[in-house]
Amino acid sequence: MLRVLVASVGVGAAMNSSNTPTCSVNGAAGGQVVTFSDGTYQRCMSVITPSSAKKPMPILWWFHGSGGNAAHCGDMKMVSLAESVGFAFICGEATQNVFGHGGQWNIPAKITDETGTPCSTSDSVEVNYMKNGLAQLAKSPETYDTTRVFTSGCSMGSAFSGYIGNCLKLWEPQHISAFATHSTGLKVKGDGNHLPENWGECDGCKYWPFAPVKYNDTLGLKACVFDNTGDGDFYKTSLYLAKEWPKLGNPSESHFASGGHCQNIPYSDIVKCLGISGSSPSPSPPSPTPPSPTPPSPTPPSPTPPSPDQPPAACQKCFIDHCPNLHRTASAACQSCVKTQQGTCASSCAPYPFQKATSWFCDNDSEIQLV
């Protein structure tokens, strides 16, 4: 029987009730919600533990996109893969109402060759979130193998997978051998790629969301790069990661398909690329593995792109829900609200230009065409 995990890390005066965790496993077999503190805020993670898997089992963390949460973890396709392949599946959750936007991962803004990937507790509240979350799992060593950890996600969750995957590598080099990305790769300041909220373009910035480096330990750190060719500038950042990572001498695979932002996510291919299995991972070869398949040239957006004059329906609904009573007001309040909600709605709007989304929402002659 699964041991019930009781959170006890950093509870007390440091816990801040201003965050409202929303984790859920939706009744999935072997699922439970674990709450704990990151030292500042009360946090949670949704844990799916397959009963039939060989134990102790490896751990795969999945991170949601901007504005998301872990409220639907039990409904994800990864749950059935966790049962068939044999790994613990964990949905992480960003803070929900701090840092100005709900559901945004706290990734450091300033990342350079000099700073490297900033992974101390003073750099991000997510450092203690991950360390304390893993400490909870380590209380059940007969069930969870915290020396075999993998990360993945989509959009800002993809960015956080890369960020925290590199941090895990810095903390415990033999505990992680691969991370996966989808719909966000690696941005370099001035590359012409425009991401939400000006990510990677701040004063003193160079990279986002992590600094590319060569790993020389026996496991190495493999980058599994996934994206769709209709994903605009996000796709371009994935192309850069697929090129830069093996160039440094790190193992890498890249897989690109048709579609748009966070569409057609090949969960089983992600698990296969990461190398998750019931046995310990083999050391990665010292030389880089070439991307497979070769990144194709950019193609038009997904088969069902938004019309030129209308943002996607999900994008429309996001702005309507978060800026009530302001649609078609052509007011400064409307412009300000849309700008404030850019990070929350970005993943559902991409690759539709933000300025056009603003005009659609605030102009008097726009129309709602939700489908």
Side-chain angles (χ1 to χ4, degrees), residues 328-354:
R328 303 177 63 183
T329 61
S331 64
C334 182
Q335 297 278 340
S336 176
C337 184
V338 171
K339 183 176 181 179
T340 300
Q341 297 302 324
Q342 179 183 4
T344 301
C345 299
S347 60
S348 61
C349 295
Y352 193 84
F354 174 68

Side-chain angles (χ1 to χ4, degrees), residues 85-348:
V85 176
F87 59 87
F89 178 54
I90 299 179
C91 294
E93 182 176 274
T95 56
Q96 292 301 300
N97 53 347
V98 295
F99 303 117
H101 301 290
Q104 283 203 320
W105 297 101
N106 183 220
I107 302 173
K110 185 178 180 180
I111 303 174
T112 66
D113 291 313
E114 291 70 29
T115 66
T117 302
C119 297
S120 69
T121 55
S122 61
D123 296 315
S124 170
V125 72
E126 313 300 358
V127 169
N128 272 345
Y129 172 70
M130 288 298 296
K131 287 185 174 182
N132 293 355
L134 287 168
Q136 294 298 311
L137 299 172
K139 293 179 180 180
S140 299
E142 73 285 355
T143 303
Y144 307 104
D145 187 349
T146 56
T147 69
R148 287 186 291 158
V149 179
F150 305 86
T151 67
S152 188
C154 193
S155 192
M156 194 181 193
S158 170
F160 187 66
S161 171
Y163 166 68
I164 207 65
N166 278 268
C167 286
L168 288 166
K169 192 68 179 177
L170 292 174
W171 301 334
E172 296 287 352
Q174 297 302 303
H175 290 188
I176 183 170
S177 58
F179 68 97
T181 64
H182 196 296
S183 294
T184 301
L186 179 62
K187 175 175 170 53
V188 180
K189 185 176 181 179
D191 59 8
N193 297 324
H194 301 287
L195 300 184
E197 300 196 29
N198 217 32
W199 290 328
E201 291 290 338
C202 69
D203 291 340
C205 286
K206 184 173 182 180
Y207 305 109
W208 193 85
F210 55 88
V213 296
K214 161 69 174 173
Y215 290 103
N216 295 308
D217 61 283
T218 55
L219 278 184
L221 187 63
K222 181 180 182 181
C224 296
V225 187
F226 292 79
D227 209 331
N228 297 322
T229 56
D231 197 16
D233 285 356
F234 290 96
Y235 169 61
K236 294 176 184 177
T237 67
S238 293
L239 286 177
Y240 182 76
L241 176 59
K243 177 183 177 181
E244 183 68 14
W245 204 248
K247 182 179 177 182
L248 290 167
N250 297 313
S252 173
E253 281 186 35
S254 57
H255 301 266
F256 301 99
S258 63
H261 195 66
C262 287
Q263 293 179 344
N264 310 323
I265 300 175
Y267 296 100
S268 60
D269 290 341
I270 289 174
V271 171
K272 181 179 179 181
C273 180
L274 289 170
I276 304 175
S277 66
S279 59
S280 299
S282 301
S284 298
S287 59
T289 57
S292 173
T294 302
S297 300
T299 61
S302 60
T304 56
S307 68
D309 299 320
Q310 295 288 333
C315 176
Q316 297 183 26
K317 185 176 186 302
C318 184
F319 283 120
I320 291 167
D321 289 347
H322 288 86
C323 298
N325 303 318
L326 291 175
H327 179 59
R328 303 177 63 183
T329 61
S331 64
C334 182
Q335 297 278 340
S336 176
C337 184
V338 171
K339 183 176 181 179
T340 300
Q341 297 302 324
Q342 179 183 4
T344 301
C345 299
S347 60
S348 61

